[in-house]
Amino acid sequence: TQLLEQSPQFLSIQEGENLTVYCNSSSVFSSLQWYRQEPGEGPVLLVTVVTGGEVKKLKRLTFQFGDARKDSSLHITAAQPGDTGLYLCAGEGWGKLQFGAGTQVVVTP
Amino acid sequence: SAVISQKPSRDICQRGTSLTIQCQVDSQVTMMFWYRQQPGQSLTLIATANQGSEATYESGFVIDKFPISRPNLTFSTLTVSNMSPEDSSIYLCSVEGTSGSYNEQFFGPGTRLTVL
C-alpha cells in the first residue's frame, strides 16, 4: 500500500492542453516534493511545498499544497512535448522520503 | 544542488553473478541513499549509507544481498549479489539537499541492470 496515492497513473494529451496530477494521503506531511523523471535519468526535484494552502509557480507549472497538508496537485498549463515524463510526489514519513507510484505524462505534438 | 554520477550506466549480467555500482558526488554529503526502481514502478528505498557507520537497510533488503560501502563523504558503492532476473531494475543513488529539514533529495542518473 502506497502512503501517497497519485492519480491518474497515465495521462496522454496534445500539445497546448492543460493537465492536473494529484497526490493524496491520509497522513499529514511537514513538506512534500514533486519530481520529474525522464527516461534514462534520475528524478529531478521540481519544487518543495511546506505550508498548508501554499501555491508555487514554476513557469507553466503550478503546485498546490492542501490546507491540511495531506494532499497536493500539480497543474501544467499549455503542455509541451518537453513536459513528457514520470511525475512523482514524495513526502517525509517514518524518517524517510516516501514516494508515490508516479504519473506518466505524455505530451504529443 | 549536488552533481551525482553513477557507474556503470547500464549492464547486462548473468544469473548468479554480482555487480558493484558506484556513486560519486561532487561535494561532501553526510547521507547517501540507494533506491531500486523496478520497470514501470516508483522508487523503493534499499538503504541509507552514512560515512563511518554501517548502512541502515529497509524492510525486505538485507546486507548479504545488497552490501554497501561508504568509505568517504563523496563516494558509495552498492553491490547486487547472486543476481536473479528479479533483480532487473534501475538502481539510483541520491543525496540530501542543503535546504535544511525538508528532506529534499538529488538523484544520480541511475544504473539500469538486466539479469538474464
Side-chain angles (χ1 to χ4, degrees):
Chain A
T1 302
Q2 297 276 163
L3 186 63
L4 289 162
E5 299 287 339
Q6 285 189 240
S7 61
Q9 287 183 296
F10 181 80
L11 200 53
S12 180
I13 61 170
Q14 296 284 327
E15 182 175 3
E17 294 181 339
N18 301 332
L19 69 98
T20 302
V21 176
Y22 299 94
C23 176
N24 296 297
S25 177
S26 58
S27 300
V28 175
F29 290 96
S30 57
S31 68
L32 199 142
Q33 292 89 42
W34 284 93
Y35 295 80
R36 179 171 65 211
Q37 184 179 20
E38 298 182 22
E41 301 292 330
V44 174
L45 179 65
L46 296 175
V47 78
T48 298
V49 286
V50 179
T51 305
E54 181 177 7
V55 176
K56 280 192 174 179
K57 293 196 174 187
L58 187 66
K59 297 183 180 178
R60 294 175 293 100
L61 278 62
T62 301
F63 304 86
Q64 186 161 6
F65 202 12
D67 290 340
R69 292 186 287 133
K70 293 182 179 181
D71 54 84
S72 182
S73 64
L74 157 61
H75 182 79
I76 301 179
T77 303
Q80 298 177 1
D83 295 323
T84 292
L86 179 67
Y87 288 82
L88 296 156
C89 65
E92 185 178 356
W94 298 309
K96 63 182 179 181
L97 204 56
Q98 307 275 352
F99 283 85
T103 295
Q104 181 64 52
V105 172
V106 176
V107 183
T108 53
Chain B
S1 63
V3 176
I4 304 165
S5 60
Q6 286 185 233
K7 290 183 182 179
S9 58
R10 58 177 60 230
D11 207 342
I12 300 173
C13 301
Q14 294 297 319
R15 179 195 299 261
T17 62
S18 298
L19 176 72
T20 295
I21 302 167
Q22 299 178 7
C23 180
Q24 180 76 52
V25 188
D26 69 343
S27 58
Q28 294 184 339
V29 294
T30 303
M31 299 175 74
M32 296 179 75
F33 307 89
W34 287 98
Y35 288 85
R36 182 173 71 184
Q37 186 176 28
Q38 295 179 304
Q41 303 292 317
S42 187
L43 280 69
T44 301
L45 181 64
I46 297 172
T48 302
N50 290 337
Q51 196 269 333
S53 63
E54 294 285 329
T56 302
Y57 289 82
E58 296 299 310
S59 176
F61 298 97
V62 295
I63 188 170
D64 290 346
K65 175 68 175 177
F66 297 100
I68 289 171
S69 77
R70 183 78 202 274
N72 57 52
L73 291 173
T74 63
F75 187 78
S76 179
T77 67
L78 169 76
T79 299
V80 186
S81 302
N82 189 25
M83 288 183 285
S84 66
E86 292 71 34
D87 294 320
S88 297
S89 286
I90 299 171
Y91 291 86
L92 296 148
C93 69
S94 73
V95 303
E96 276 193 318
T98 57
S99 63
S101 62
Y102 300 152
N103 208 1
E104 299 166 337
Q105 292 185 18
F106 298 95
F107 287 84
T111 295
R112 183 178 294 272
L113 171 62
T114 302
V115 184
L116 303 177

